[in-house]
Amino acid sequence: MSRQVQGYVYLALAMLTVGSTVIASKLIASGLPPFSATALRFAIAFPVLLLLMRAPGARLPRFSRHDRLILIIQAGAGSVGYTTLLISGLNLTSAADAGVIIGTLPVVSAAISILLLRERPQRALLLAVALATAGVLSIAFTPDAAGGSLAGNALIFCAVVCEGLFILLNKRLNTVIAPLAQSTLMAGIGFIVAAIPAIFEAPFAHGISASAVGAVVYYALVPTVGGFLLWYAGAERVSGTEAALFTAVAPVSAVMLAFIILGEPVGLHQLAGIACVLAAVLGLACAGSRTVKPASGR
């Protein structure tokens, strides 16, 4: 197997784990409050990431007060905000609908850069935004199908916006941080941020589902740690454009896993939605626009 093909395999597996977070979050939503689940996720992932970072002797750089503030806001938005909103949304809507919506992340992050950083939009990006919007609207106007919910879908989209803000804030950092070090920081700070509201959720008072705890452990170890390692192992073997194309695997895997594992029906509106989202992501990647590397924030 060539180095390039190995990269393709690693990237596909990484995006498969990203898609599986939707299924895990659906299981978590039925048995754990969102902040408690998020705090537990990072409590498990942080020491593992810390060991991985320290194994080669890597150290954290010194941060200015400005960068410390940015990192805290990033953890609040990209780590805690994304996870809690995803879990809360999946308590109301179907995993298949959520899978379509999270696929818009590369387009949403690019659109946020245009709105907040005043970047000049390319024609390809405007077309990608239109296609992604059509994909989301295709499920937004059929919320009752397959257990969907307009409120739940809105929460999922807010989760995507939080992750998009994480990417935007990354451009505001003055200090260059290695990806593994940043993922470790996000897990550590994310635990502290989530632990405070988790206390008020009193999860033990309402009973904890064993399947929900198992899903949190999976989320912490497989997508959070394993997905990170797979993504960067693949990204170093292929070009940036090739890596960007594989972000399209995440929404497809989420919808497929919702059908296979959760038994959710996949309707025509969801198939149309995912077709629009895939076209948007692939068009954006092929045009060479900036896309997302999903690992550090989530």
Side-chain angles (χ1 to χ4, degrees):
M1 186 183 295
S2 69
R3 181 178 173 82
Q4 186 180 41
V5 173
Q6 285 179 346
Y8 293 160
V9 173
Y10 290 145
L11 292 171
L13 289 174
M15 289 298 96
L16 181 61
T17 70
V18 172
S20 72
T21 62
V22 175
I23 312 305
S25 297
K26 183 71 173 178
L27 296 173
I28 292 166
S30 64
L32 268 176
F35 284 102
S36 301
T38 302
L40 179 59
R41 172 200 169 192
F42 291 128
I44 296 169
F46 176 66
V48 178
L49 288 167
L50 190 62
L51 285 172
L52 289 172
M53 190 185 79
R54 291 296 178 89
R59 292 179 177 272
L60 292 175
R62 288 189 176 183
F63 300 108
S64 64
R65 184 177 297 178
H66 168 269
D67 282 354
R68 286 180 199 148
L69 179 60
I70 293 294
L71 288 168
I72 292 171
I73 298 173
Q74 274 190 300
S79 297
V80 178
Y82 175 85
T83 308
T84 54
L85 285 168
L86 183 62
I87 293 170
S88 299
L90 281 161
N91 202 29
L92 301 172
T93 195
S94 69
D97 278 9
V100 175
I101 296 170
I102 65 164
T104 65
L105 176 58
V107 180
V108 169
S109 62
I112 290 174
S113 291
I114 291 171
L115 294 173
L116 299 184
L117 296 183
R118 308 282 182 182
E119 292 183 356
R120 193 172 184 177
Q122 299 176 3
R123 235 178 242 181
L125 175 58
L126 295 176
L127 178 60
V129 169
L131 283 168
T133 302
V136 172
L137 291 179
S138 74
I139 61 174
F141 286 113
T142 51
D144 296 326
S149 157
L150 187 59
N153 290 341
L155 287 172
I156 302 297
F157 186 74
C158 287
V160 172
V161 172
C162 280
E163 186 71 3
L165 287 172
F166 171 91
I167 296 162
L168 172 66
L169 288 168
N170 217 44
K171 301 177 96 176
R172 298 293 191 183
L173 286 170
N174 296 324
T175 308
V176 177
I177 311 173
L180 181 55
Q182 188 167 14
S183 290
T184 305
L185 278 171
M186 291 301 99
I189 300 171
F191 169 73
I192 296 170
V193 173
I196 298 170
I199 295 171
F200 296 97
E201 286 181 334
F204 294 102
H206 304 286
I208 297 176
S209 163
S211 62
V213 173
V216 172
V217 174
Y218 169 84
Y219 198 153
L221 296 179
V222 180
T224 305
V225 178
F228 168 86
L229 295 174
L230 285 167
W231 177 265
Y232 284 100
E236 70 178 7
R237 289 170 167 80
V238 301
S239 69
T241 301
E242 287 175 312
L245 290 170
F246 279 86
T247 61
V249 174
V252 176
S253 68
V255 174
M256 288 178 59
L257 290 172
F259 175 74
I260 295 169
I261 296 176
L262 300 179
E264 290 185 359
V266 177
L268 287 176
H269 65 287
Q270 290 162 331
L271 294 175
I274 203 166
C276 289
V277 169
L278 284 177
V281 173
L282 294 175
L284 190 64
C286 289
S289 298
R290 184 186 58 76
T291 52
V292 58
K293 292 181 180 180
S296 298
R298 298 180 186 180

